[in-house]
Amino acid sequence: MDPIAPSGRQLELVHGDAAVTIVEVGGGPRDYRVGGVAVLDGYPVDAMASHGRGQLLVPWPNRIAGGRYRWDDATLQLAISEAKTGNAIHGLGRWSAWELERVGPATATASFIVRAQSGYPFTVAFRAAYVLGDDGLTVAMTATNLSARPAPVGMGAHPYLYVPGPNGTPARADDALLTVPAERRLLVDEALIPNGDEKVADGPYDFRAPRQVGDLVIDHCFSELRRDPDGRARVILAGDGGAVTVWMDEAWEYIQVFTGDTLSADQRRRSIAVEPQTCPADAFNSGHGLRTLEPGETFTGTWGITPTL
């Protein structure tokens, strides 16, 4: 019997000279290449998704403080999945098998139902529809409450993007000319739970206009996003070899940006994670950006990655 890849079934989408591999475990993209040039800092087929690489984050992104929250006058306790901080992190679908369905050569869906369980007594269906086209990869994520009671829901995604360097080789995070169209950033405590926010204007985290990252350490959630006339907010990583844009529609009110400084030496600052989030960390407690879906209600948000190489 042949071994099974840690990320499960692999489904490749192809459009022109672009190819994206969607995986069964976590439902996200493992690899994205254009003309053989890597866009995503992903992971090999024989490896697990380290540090959330490409994973879809449902029914919440980021962290819940102590894994504990109040709902309908009851205190609910989730399993602690981040030992260092004692928090529950990145939802309940990261290590589960999503159902992959090919729709066409460049289109597919990944579907997963979060079943009612201890700490999250709700049944919610999630679906990601992938389209690879002339403008890059588009991902429409949908949540539908299948429960007989209202359910708290958030969604997120966790792609790491290479900074395009010369001759198709990635540049370091330090060399990125970064644009983050946000007015504010969230402040966090030692457990990385938000405890306030501040304006970015004229400070070290003001990337409203393109600016080189340099040696700045970034692991922050940004809010109050500026949007273009089409309603999309765009984070841009530019380098000598082109640019990569992560865009998101109005459903995504927050963006987490991470330069990877806490990763292992071989991974540190080799790429930048740009994470669309419908709500920030600890939204189950703060309520910020949190969606309460009524029975049968559906919520959809679309984001994408557009490389210009």
Side-chain angles (χ1 to χ4, degrees):
M1 179 177 177
D2 293 333
I4 297 175
S7 54
R9 181 184 169 207
Q10 312 284 304
L11 198 161
E12 186 179 57
L13 309 182
V14 178
H15 177 83
D17 65 350
V20 172
T21 300
I22 308 300
V23 298
E24 178 183 18
V25 177
R30 180 181 63 77
D31 188 50
Y32 184 3
R33 295 176 184 271
V34 177
V37 176
V39 176
L40 280 184
D41 181 4
Y43 53 100
V45 68
D46 61 353
M48 294 171 59
S50 63
H51 309 293
R53 295 180 187 277
Q55 292 175 324
L56 304 183
L57 314 178
V58 298
W60 75 85
N62 215 298
R63 296 162 174 85
I64 296 177
R68 188 179 302 108
Y69 63 103
R70 293 279 296 174
W71 193 259
D72 286 344
D73 296 324
T75 298
L76 299 176
Q77 178 66 58
L78 294 154
I80 302 304
S81 49
E82 187 180 46
K84 183 178 179 179
T85 63
N87 296 324
I89 187 170
H90 288 336
L92 301 170
R94 298 174 64 193
W95 304 110
S96 295
W98 291 55
E99 182 178 347
L100 302 184
E101 181 179 355
R102 181 180 293 281
V103 180
T107 55
T109 61
S111 303
F112 176 66
I113 297 177
V114 174
R115 302 289 179 174
Q117 57 194 274
S118 177
Y120 192 78
F122 316 97
T123 302
V124 181
F126 292 92
R127 182 176 184 269
Y130 291 96
V131 178
L132 184 61
D134 291 341
D135 58 349
L137 179 66
T138 297
V139 189
M141 292 178 62
T142 300
T144 302
N145 184 9
L146 304 181
S147 307
R149 59 188 294 203
V153 172
M155 298 190 294
H158 208 300
Y160 286 73
L161 289 307
Y162 281 127
V163 179
N167 303 316
T169 59
R172 301 286 293 175
D174 308 53
D175 299 323
L177 196 65
L178 176 65
T179 305
V180 181
E183 299 291 337
R184 308 186 74 87
R185 74 176 181 108
L186 274 60
L187 306 175
V188 297
D189 62 19
E190 292 182 354
L192 302 178
I193 298 300
N195 59 5
D197 66 358
E198 67 178 13
K199 293 183 177 180
V200 301
D202 303 320
Y205 299 97
D206 186 355
F207 289 95
R208 293 174 298 171
R211 186 163 63 84
Q212 189 170 2
V213 171
D215 61 0
L216 184 67
V217 174
I218 308 174
D219 188 8
H220 299 288
C221 185
F222 295 86
S223 64
E224 288 191 15
L225 307 183
R226 291 180 175 180
R227 298 187 180 274
D228 296 326
D230 61 1
R232 294 177 175 179
R234 289 174 167 87
V235 176
I236 303 172
L237 310 179
D240 291 340
V244 177
T245 299
V246 178
W247 59 265
M248 57 221 74
D249 69 14
E250 290 97 333
W252 312 89
E253 299 181 28
Y254 299 85
I255 302 167
Q256 185 85 17
V257 179
F258 176 46
T259 48
D261 297 83
T262 59
L263 306 185
S264 61
D266 62 320
Q267 298 176 349
R268 190 173 301 135
R269 299 184 73 86
R270 78 179 185 191
S271 60
I272 298 178
V274 179
E275 309 164 37
Q277 299 179 166
T278 62
C279 59
D282 209 34
F284 278 23
N285 286 303
S286 70
H288 296 156
L290 185 66
R291 302 293 179 122
T292 299
L293 296 187
E294 297 296 326
E297 185 178 3
T298 292
F299 163 51
T300 298
T302 302
W303 62 278
I305 302 172
T306 302
T308 308
L309 306 175

